[in-house]
Amino acid sequence: MTERNDVRYELYYWPGIQGRGEFVRLAFEEADVPYVDVARLPRAEGGGVHAMQEFLNGERGGLAPLAPPFLRVGDLVLAQTAAILQYLGPRLGLVPDDDASRLHAHQLQLTIADLVDEAHDTHHPIGTNLYYEDQKPEAKRRARSFVGERMPKFLGYFERTLGRDGASGAQYLFGPHLSYVDLSLFQIVAGLRYAFPKAMARLEPSIPRTVAVHDRIAARPRIGAYLASPRRLPFNEQGIFRRYPELDQ
Amino acid sequence: MTERNDVRYELYYWPGIQGRGEFVRLAFEEADVPYVDVARLPRAEGGGVHAMQEFLNGERGGLAPLAPPFLRVGDLVLAQTAAILQYLGPRLGLVPDDDASRLHAHQLQLTIADLVDEAHDTHHPIGTNLYYEDQKPEAKRRARSFVGERMPKFLGYFERTLGRDGASGAQYLFGPHLSYVDLSLFQIVAGLRYAFPKAMARLEPSIPRTVAVHDRIAARPRIGAYLASPRRLPFNEQGIFRRYPELDQ
């Protein structure tokens, strides 16, 4: 942890939404490690979407990311949410020390990324280049499948993982040690509650361990302070998790 | 490479399709490192889908994967294609030695994973639990968006990445050093040519570096031998890349 004061961490993500950037923000907030949320700074301070676009357009040289979020640490520019968290995990003290747990934490994070993609596609089943309004009938059909089949499948999987041999009675996915994956699981529960309140109300009784992880994390002092701060953007209908009542079936 | 003769690598994946398992198979084949494709073995030899399901059902203890492919090496069971390749890369000599390149290789592999998900969803835009025949109008609409917007976006990104500063004239994504990401890019080109021959014929003139990587890899002796062997399953309409002429717009 000696790096904490030496390293400048810059997160680049869309300034108006939680989106995929939020999984990274939660890790920094819980670790209490300073980070610059670059695109949310004023342009006069080197911020704004423009600062992000320079990297995406390849104007900054090196390997350009295809999309945000990306992390900049010194000369390194690293994209893909799960890869960023894998990189930060040991540096923020948010993953166990042993190799097997680190590999499994990443595996679980990638499984969360799959769920995030599917949650996104409930409102964009045809194309990200089209408005929601232009794909509403398809969205309704996809959301029915998501809510009925996929949400229970993914959340049931995390529920079983929390109850696996050796983890019984564990507070978090890796026992007593909070990891970045737990923070992401918190965000999944929060997001799905926002987007699909009726469906989640039906599902939650069957996933008590998962809900308990959510509640434990919400009660952590730094996360609580973050959630109450202006740094936590509200959920809205431009992000991954959108509240369209017609999709909450 | 001293591990090569000591370690038993077991790949678990659906036996009848290339699918996501193919990205892992290509790495083993190029490295000429023996692996057991477990579900393709007869049940009498410990194979079959049953052997895979035991892990997915949690009957083997430890952290169960949500889905195949997964790799078993000794006590480790690791799922998620990109995580498997990240683990294997150094062990198979298929990634550069420096940390930044390894992080970037993984980032690019995750970008390929995103493209694979989107290619899959062209024939399953509503739900994986429904037949293609039950989502054909939506598939046609999603495929139009994929072929018109997403395929050029992703492949254009890899084309620019191959042409980035310092990589100019490079044979592969990391210069002269073949990586597992190049093998995956080969598979992407091969798969998209199978699924969308008309769209790829239109797009290929604009991505000459990417096509050249494909051709270089097809010409490598071990990959050539693999492609000509019965180990290479043919593309078919149960995999990720499916040839439905009505989607090739």
Side-chain angles (χ1 to χ4, degrees), chain B residues 197-211:
Chain B
K198 287 199 293 186
M200 274 297 272
R202 282 199 309 273
L203 185 58
E204 287 195 21
S206 67
I207 52 164
R209 297 182 192 102
T210 306
V211 172

Side-chain angles (χ1 to χ4, degrees), chain B residues 166-187:
Chain B
S168 183
Q171 287 193 291
Y172 296 114
L173 282 159
F174 294 94
H177 190 125
L178 176 77
S179 73
Y180 63 81
V181 195
D182 298 295
L183 296 170
S184 294
L185 191 57
F186 159 83
Q187 177 67 4

Side-chain angles (χ1 to χ4, degrees), chain A residues 64 77 106 134 138 141 157, chain B residues 64 77 104 106 134 138 141 157:
Chain A
V77 177
H106 189 49
D134 295 327
E138 295 93 342
R141 221 182 146 202
Y157 171 73
Chain B
V77 176
H104 282 152
H106 188 50
D134 294 328
E138 295 93 341
R141 219 180 149 204
Y157 172 73

Side-chain angles (χ1 to χ4, degrees), chain B residues 129-216:
Chain B
N129 52 320
L130 301 170
Y131 291 111
Y132 167 63
E133 287 68 24
D134 294 328
Q135 47 194 314
K136 258 175 112 164
E138 295 93 341
K140 207 165 166 184
R141 219 180 149 204
R142 174 137 190 171
R144 196 179 312 132
S145 163
F146 178 76
V147 157
E149 309 277 340
R150 306 299 286 175
M151 241 169 72
K153 182 182 171 89
F154 278 100
L155 292 180
Y157 172 73
F158 282 98
E159 186 70 12
R160 290 195 305 282
T161 299
L162 281 162
R164 72 192 184 281
D165 285 354
S168 183
Q171 287 193 291
Y172 296 114
L173 282 159
F174 294 94
H177 190 125
L178 176 77
S179 73
Y180 63 81
V181 195
D182 298 295
L183 296 170
S184 294
L185 191 57
F186 159 83
Q187 177 67 4
I188 289 290
V189 171
L192 292 174
R193 281 182 177 174
Y194 175 78
F196 303 105
K198 287 199 293 186
M200 274 297 272
R202 282 199 309 273
L203 185 58
E204 287 195 21
S206 67
I207 52 164
R209 297 182 192 102
T210 306
V211 172
V213 167
H214 168 276
D215 295 351
R216 255 177 229 122

Side-chain angles (χ1 to χ4, degrees), chain A residues 85-147:
Chain A
L85 288 168
Q86 186 185 35
Y87 175 86
L88 288 176
R91 289 166 176 82
L92 303 185
L94 286 174
V95 73
D97 284 333
D98 63 294
D99 288 344
S101 294
R102 289 184 176 186
L103 289 166
H104 282 153
H106 189 49
Q107 171 189 318
L108 291 174
Q109 190 65 41
L110 288 169
T111 304
I112 284 178
D114 288 340
L115 172 55
V116 168
D117 286 350
E118 296 197 22
H120 170 272
D121 281 7
T122 58
H123 47 78
H124 278 78
I126 300 303
T128 48
N129 53 318
L130 301 170
Y131 292 111
Y132 167 61
E133 287 69 23
D134 295 327
Q135 47 195 312
K136 259 176 109 163
E138 295 93 342
K140 208 166 166 185
R141 221 182 146 202
R142 175 136 188 171
R144 197 178 313 133
S145 162
F146 178 76
V147 157

